[in-house]
C-alpha cells in the first residue's frame, strides 16, 4: 500500500508539479502584450490536463486515510495551517484559470491571471513545507500534538518549500521547450530553454543547501541519504540533474523531459527510502498500518479502478499530444 501511495505521490509531483510550474512562468511572462504568447503556450499546454493532474493528490489522500489512518490524522491536524493554505491555493488557482479564459474585460483577465499565478507559487510552497515537517520529524503521533507553527515554519520546511517551487518551475520549463518546438514556435522554445538552464542551476544549489540544512536539522535522514540505503537514489537525482543541463544546451528537448523527471524522482524516492520504515517519530509502518482486511480490500479496489483509470489517463495525454502535432500540421501551408 505504501509503495502504491508513493507512486501516486510521484505522479502528482511530476504532473501536478509541472502544472504549478506553468503558473510560475505565467507570473513571470511580462505584461499583457509582451507576455501574451508565453501565457498562451502555458495555457495550451496545461489546459486539457490540469484537472486530471490533481486526481493524483486525491489518490494519495485517500490511500493515506485508508492505509495509514493514524498518520493521516496526525499530519492533517498538526499541519492543518499549511495544508489549508495549499487547499485554498488549489481552489483559487483552478477557479481563476477557468474564469480568466471566460473573461472579456482586461481588468478581469488581469485579476484572475494574477490569482492563478500567485496561487501557483504559494500552493507548492506550502505543500513543500508540510513535506519538510514530516521529513524533519516535527509531526508527532496523535491529534494536533505538534506545534501548529514551528512544525512547518522551520529551516527544513522552508527549504523544502522553496525547493518545491523551484522544482515545479524547472519541470514546467523543460516540458514547455518541447511543447513550443512541437507547435512551431522556436523562439519560445529557445526562451524556455534558457529559463530551464537557469532554473536547473538554481534548483541544484537549493538541493545542495537542503542537504546542509538536513545535516543540522534532521541528521538521521541526512545519514541515510548520504551513506545509507537511500544513497543510490540521491546519486540518480544528481546524475540525471547534471545530465539535463547539456541536453538542454544541445536542444535535446525530448530526452531532457526524461532526465529532468528522473532527477525529481530520485530525490523524492530517496526521501521515502531514507525515512522508511519510520513514518512519524516512534511510529513504524507496521504500527501505523490499517488491518489486513482493510488493506486487502483497498488494494483490490485499486486494481479494479486502475483498469479504468490508467488507460483513460494514458489516452488523455496521448490524444493531447497528437492534437498538438495535428494542429501544427494544419497550420503549415
Amino acid at each position: 500500500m505504501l509503495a502504491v501511495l508513493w507512486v501516486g505521490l510521484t505522479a502528482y509531483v511530476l504532473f501536478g508539479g509541472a502544472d504549478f510550474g506553468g503558473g510560475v512562468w505565467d507570473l513571470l511572462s511580462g505584461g499583457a502584450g509582451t507576455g501574451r504568447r508565453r501565457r498562451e503556450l502555458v495555457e495550451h499546454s496545461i489546459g486539457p490536463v490540469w484537472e486530471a493532474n490533481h486526481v493524483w493528490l486525491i489518490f494519495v489522500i485517500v490511500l493515506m486515510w485508508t492505509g495509514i489512518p493514524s498518520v493521516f490524522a496526525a499530519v492533517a491536524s498538526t499541519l492543518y495551517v499549511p495544508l489549508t493554505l495549499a487547499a485554498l491555493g488549489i481552489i483559487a488557482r483552478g477557479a481563476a484559470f477557468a474564469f480568466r479564459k471566460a473573461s472579456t474585460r482586461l481588468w478581469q483577465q488581469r485579476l484572475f491571471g494574477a490569482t492563478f499565478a500567485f496561487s501557483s507559487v504559494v500552493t507548492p510552497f506550502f505543500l513543500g513545507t508540510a513535506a519538510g515537517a514530516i521529513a524533519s520529524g516535527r509531526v508527532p503521533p496523535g491529534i494536533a500534538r505538534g506545534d501548529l507553527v514551528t512544525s512547518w515554519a522551520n529551516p527544513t520546511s522552508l527549504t523544502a518549500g522553496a525547493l518545491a517551487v523551484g522544482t515545479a518551475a524547472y519541470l514546467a520549463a523543460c516540458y514547455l521547450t518541447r511543447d513550443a518546438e512541437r507547435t512551431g514556435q522556436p523562439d519560445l522554445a529557445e526562451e524556455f530553454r534558457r529559463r530551464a538552464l537557469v532554473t536547473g542551476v538554481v534548483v541544484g544549489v537549493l538541493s545542495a543547501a537542503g542537504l546542509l540544512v538536513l545535516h543540522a536539522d534532521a541528521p538521521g535522514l541526512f545519514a541515510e541519504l548520504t551513506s545509507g540505503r537511500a544513497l543510490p537514489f540521491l546519486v540518480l537525482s544528481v546524475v540525471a540533474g547534471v545530465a539535463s543541463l547539456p541536453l538542454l544546451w544541445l536542444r535535446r528537448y525530448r530526452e531532457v523531459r526524461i532526465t529532468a523527471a528522473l532527477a525529481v524522482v530520485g530525490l523524492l524516492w530517496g526521501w521515502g527510502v531514507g525515512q522508511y520504515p519510520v513514518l512519524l517519530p516512534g511510529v513504524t509502518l507496521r504500527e501505523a498500518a490499517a488491518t489486513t482486511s482493510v488493506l486487502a480490500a483497498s488494494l483490490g479496489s485499486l486494481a479494479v479502478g486502475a483498469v479504468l483509470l490508467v488507460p483513460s489517463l494514458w489516452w488523455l495525454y496521448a490524444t493531447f499530444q497528437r492534437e498538438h502535432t495535428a494542429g501544427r500540421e494544419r497550420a503549415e501551408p
Side-chain angles (χ1 to χ4, degrees):
M1 175 71 86
L2 186 63
V4 175
L5 186 153
W6 215 253
V7 169
L9 182 61
T10 302
Y12 185 62
V13 169
L14 292 179
F15 297 113
D19 198 329
F20 289 125
V24 174
W25 296 123
D26 186 283
L27 177 65
L28 301 176
S29 289
T34 57
R36 180 180 58 82
R37 289 182 59 227
R38 302 186 193 101
R39 291 190 174 92
E40 287 178 350
L41 177 64
V42 170
E43 183 174 312
H44 186 64
S45 297
I46 70 176
V49 296
W50 69 273
E51 292 171 298
N53 290 337
H54 290 289
V55 168
W56 296 110
L57 178 60
I58 300 170
F59 179 81
V60 170
I61 292 172
V62 171
L63 286 191
M64 276 193 70
W65 86 50
T66 304
I68 44 176
S70 60
V71 173
F72 175 82
V75 170
S77 57
T78 294
L79 300 177
Y80 81 86
V81 173
L83 293 178
T84 299
L85 292 173
L88 292 174
I90 291 173
I91 295 169
R93 182 178 182 275
F97 184 72
F99 287 139
R100 183 174 67 171
K101 293 191 293 184
S103 300
T104 56
R105 297 183 179 180
L106 181 59
W107 71 268
Q108 293 176 332
Q109 294 175 346
R110 286 177 172 173
L111 173 63
F112 293 130
T115 303
F116 166 73
F118 179 72
S119 301
S120 297
V121 175
V122 299
T123 302
F125 175 78
F126 285 119
L127 290 174
T129 61
I134 299 171
S136 59
R138 287 184 167 89
V139 181
I143 304 297
R145 295 289 181 85
D147 191 281
L148 298 181
V149 177
T150 59
S151 60
W152 59 275
N154 58 75
T156 299
S157 291
L158 296 178
T159 303
L163 187 59
V165 176
T167 298
Y170 174 61
L171 285 173
C174 291
Y175 295 170
L176 286 168
T177 55
R178 174 61 180 159
D179 286 342
E181 181 186 53
R182 185 169 48 241
T183 54
Q185 303 179 82
D187 57 327
L188 288 184
E190 281 295 307
E191 184 173 324
F192 280 106
R193 180 182 74 93
R194 293 191 294 269
R195 295 187 178 199
L197 283 168
V198 173
T199 310
V201 173
V202 172
V203 171
V205 172
L206 277 175
S207 300
L211 286 176
L212 296 177
V213 172
L214 280 180
H215 181 269
D217 202 39
L221 181 57
F222 174 83
E224 287 291 342
L225 282 171
T226 55
S227 59
R229 60 192 171 192
L231 179 59
F233 293 96
L234 182 62
V235 172
L236 171 65
S237 179
V238 172
V239 171
V242 171
S244 297
L245 298 180
L247 287 174
L248 282 168
W249 187 264
L250 296 172
R251 298 173 178 81
R252 303 297 295 270
Y253 299 139
R254 189 188 301 273
E255 291 82 356
V256 81
R257 284 185 164 192
I258 299 173
T259 56
L262 284 176
V264 176
V265 169
L267 193 62
L268 182 64
W269 280 77
W271 167 36
V273 172
Q275 189 161 332
Y276 178 85
V278 178
L279 304 184
L280 299 176
V283 179
T284 64
L285 176 61
R286 184 174 296 276
E287 295 167 337
T291 62
T292 303
S293 58
V294 170
L295 293 177
S298 299
L299 289 172
S301 300
L302 285 174
V304 174
V307 174
L308 297 175
L309 177 64
V310 174
S312 298
L313 289 174
W314 179 267
W315 184 254
L316 172 66
Y317 291 121
T319 300
F320 172 55
Q321 296 297 321
R322 283 200 296 269
E323 287 176 351
H324 241 17
T325 305
R328 178 182 175 182
E329 292 172 349
R330 286 193 298 269
E332 293 177 348

